[in-house]
């Protein structure tokens, strides 16, 4: 089991997140990730960093660990060739460290840059498949290439600065269709689902997608799960979650305004008990209480836990996981 840390990129300033990333790496975490948002999910969150300059600063400041996005949408807000150039530049300077988490995107981040009505999932998935294929073509080709696809058309392109290693791709998935795409088109899966969803739905679909890959890309692949956890005084942490309206209503993926999502979140929280809020966010004063959850995820097929904390002192949670949980998980 690998342990990674997601600074999220929305709770602290860019500089403070660099310091936190360094702290997590020094504590023994294997990788550092950051969310990629134009606006935050919730209006209470005070920041959204641009991930590309931040990852460059991270790679220079924190050596050796994996760095990556959890996750980016390389289809609308970014022109795929320009994003491919940026990622190639980071990998060329810091080879073998960059991993790219990608998703079909939400209206929250992308709708402002899309001229038509927000598309359905099938269209978004088709755009992501085409975008990833185009990016990999540009990374691999030493010749000028043109692209005439369903969603993108480009003439005579070549990346002169190439990546120096293969950049692993991770597809974010909540359901079986996305999980199959993760296996078929990316080779790795990221989710925030629980162990039952992973074992019963996502992993079988992911394995089926992986079976359709060819040659050296067949087999293997990692499943990573983002896990929200908070170690500290439970009452204080629950109070902070409630006062900040910290609830992400995933059913509101078509909403582009974080102020509206914040209102929905607060309305939802009024019906959630303190005990439920504590369970939803893995709030505890004893990190060893999280071990059964981690073991269940591992048994379901998870290779990596990507830890994130929304409230409280993230360093206390990092220390507790490093000292009390990591040594007990195989």
């Amino acid at each position: 089991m690998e342990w990674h840390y997601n600074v999220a990129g929305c709770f602290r300033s860019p500089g403070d997140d660099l310091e936190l990333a360094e702290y997590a790496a020094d504590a023994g975490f294997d990788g550092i990730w950051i969310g990629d948002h134009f606006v935050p999910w919730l209006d209470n969150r005070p920041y959204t960093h641009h991930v590309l300059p931040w990852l460059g600063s991270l790679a220079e400041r924190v050596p050796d660990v994996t760095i990556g996005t959890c996750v980016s949408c390389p289809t609308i807000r970014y022109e795929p060739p320009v994003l491919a150039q940026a990622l190639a530049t980071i990998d060329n300077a810091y080879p073998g460290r960059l991993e790219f988490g990608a998703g079909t995107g939400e209206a929250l981040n992308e709708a402002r840059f899309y001229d038509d009505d927000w598309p359905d999932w099938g269209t978004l998935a088709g755009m992501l498949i085409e975008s990833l294929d185009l990016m990999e073509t540009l990374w691999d080709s030493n010749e000028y290439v043109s692209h005439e696809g369903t969603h993108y058309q480009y003439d005579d392109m070549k990346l002169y600065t190439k990546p120096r290693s293969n950049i692993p791709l991770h597809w974010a998935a909540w359901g079986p269709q996305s999980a199959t795409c993760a296996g078929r088109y990316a080779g790795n899966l990221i989710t925030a689902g629980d162990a039952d969803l992973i074992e019963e739905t996502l992993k079988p679909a992911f394995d089926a997608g992986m079976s359709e890959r060819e040659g050296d890309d067949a087999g293997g692949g990692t499943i990573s799960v983002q896990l929200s956890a908070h170690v500290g005084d439970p009452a204080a942490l629950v109070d902070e979650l409630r006062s900040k309206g910290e609830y992400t209503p995933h059913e509101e993926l078509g909403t582009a305004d974080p102020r509206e999502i914040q209102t929905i979140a607060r309305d939802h929280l009024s019906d959630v008990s303190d005990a439920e809020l504590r369970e939803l966010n893995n709030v505890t004063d004893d990190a060893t209480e999280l071990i059964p959850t981690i073991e269940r995820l591992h048994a379901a097929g998870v290779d990596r836990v990507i830890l994130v904390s929304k409230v409280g002192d993230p360093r206390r949670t990092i220390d507790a996981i490093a000292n009390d949980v990591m040594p007990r998980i195989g």
Side-chain angles (χ1 to χ4, degrees), residues 201-234:
T201 302
L202 300 186
K203 189 176 188 302
F206 175 68
D207 290 343
M210 287 295 296
S211 70
E212 298 177 11
R213 296 172 70 85
E214 298 179 354
D216 294 339
D217 290 334
T222 63
I223 297 178
S224 301
V225 63
Q226 179 171 288
L227 182 71
S228 173
H230 308 81
V231 179
D233 176 64

Side-chain angles (χ1 to χ4, degrees), residues 4-318:
H4 294 230
Y5 192 82
N6 184 1
V7 301
C10 57
F11 299 114
R12 295 160 294 272
S13 71
D16 287 345
D17 271 344
L18 287 172
E19 291 182 2
L20 184 62
E22 187 172 28
Y23 190 90
D26 288 344
F29 282 75
D30 302 298
I32 303 296
W33 299 73
I34 184 171
D36 187 354
H37 297 274
F38 184 73
V39 294
W41 266 112
L42 299 169
D43 191 48
N44 81 80
R45 298 176 181 177
Y47 295 97
T48 47
H49 323 331
H50 197 299
V51 300
L52 296 173
W54 192 87
L55 285 171
S57 297
L58 174 67
E60 180 64 24
R61 178 165 180 161
V62 183
D64 301 328
V65 298
T66 293
I67 63 174
T69 58
C70 186
V71 297
S72 295
C73 176
T75 58
I76 297 172
R77 189 165 31 116
Y78 296 113
E79 289 278 354
V82 177
L83 183 57
Q85 180 191 30
L87 298 176
T89 300
I90 294 173
D91 183 78
N92 191 285
Y94 306 95
R97 295 180 55 195
L98 179 65
E99 303 195 24
F100 184 61
T104 54
E106 306 94 7
L108 178 81
N109 291 299
E110 313 303 328
R112 293 168 179 81
F113 306 93
Y114 193 74
D115 291 335
D116 298 322
D117 292 337
W118 186 242
D120 59 22
W121 181 87
T123 300
L124 292 171
M127 294 173 71
L128 180 55
I129 292 166
E130 187 175 333
S131 175
L132 293 177
D133 179 67
L134 174 57
M135 292 168 66
E136 290 188 298
T137 296
L138 290 170
W139 288 336
D140 293 339
S141 178
N142 291 317
E143 306 295 332
Y144 277 84
V145 297
S146 295
H147 178 83
E148 187 66 31
T150 302
H151 304 286
Y152 305 100
Q153 296 81 37
Y154 300 102
D155 293 327
D156 294 335
M157 296 184 303
K158 177 182 175 181
L159 293 184
Y160 282 79
T161 297
K162 298 288 188 185
R164 292 168 60 190
S165 56
N166 292 323
I167 300 174
L169 304 177
H170 303 253
W171 183 301
W174 278 96
Q177 288 180 293
S178 285
T180 301
C181 288
R184 185 182 302 159
Y185 300 110
N188 302 283
L189 181 149
I190 290 181
T191 185
D194 62 21
D196 288 343
L197 178 66
I198 292 168
E199 184 174 54
E200 297 169 9
T201 302
L202 300 186
K203 189 176 188 302
F206 175 68
D207 290 343
M210 287 295 296
S211 70
E212 298 177 11
R213 296 172 70 85
E214 298 179 354
D216 294 339
D217 290 334
T222 63
I223 297 178
S224 301
V225 63
Q226 179 171 288
L227 182 71
S228 173
H230 308 81
V231 179
D233 176 64
L237 290 167
V238 167
D239 285 348
E240 188 177 355
L241 285 165
R242 193 177 296 280
S243 67
K244 290 184 174 179
E246 271 298 334
Y247 172 78
T248 304
H250 293 286
E251 65 273 14
E252 298 299 326
L253 294 180
T255 302
D257 192 330
R259 295 167 295 186
E260 294 180 17
I261 298 175
Q262 186 73 74
T263 299
I264 294 167
R266 291 193 185 281
D267 288 345
H268 180 88
L269 282 171
S270 65
D271 296 325
V272 177
S273 69
D274 286 355
E276 290 171 322
L277 196 55
R278 179 173 174 174
E279 183 178 358
L280 282 170
N281 291 277
N282 293 300
V283 172
T284 182
D285 56 3
D286 179 3
T288 61
E289 292 181 350
L290 301 175
I291 290 176
T293 298
I294 306 301
E295 290 179 333
R296 179 72 184 91
L297 288 168
H298 191 41
V302 170
D303 305 288
R304 294 173 168 181
V305 171
I306 304 176
L307 185 72
V308 63
S309 296
K310 304 172 185 177
V311 297
D313 180 359
R315 287 170 173 79
R316 180 171 177 180
T317 301
I318 287 169

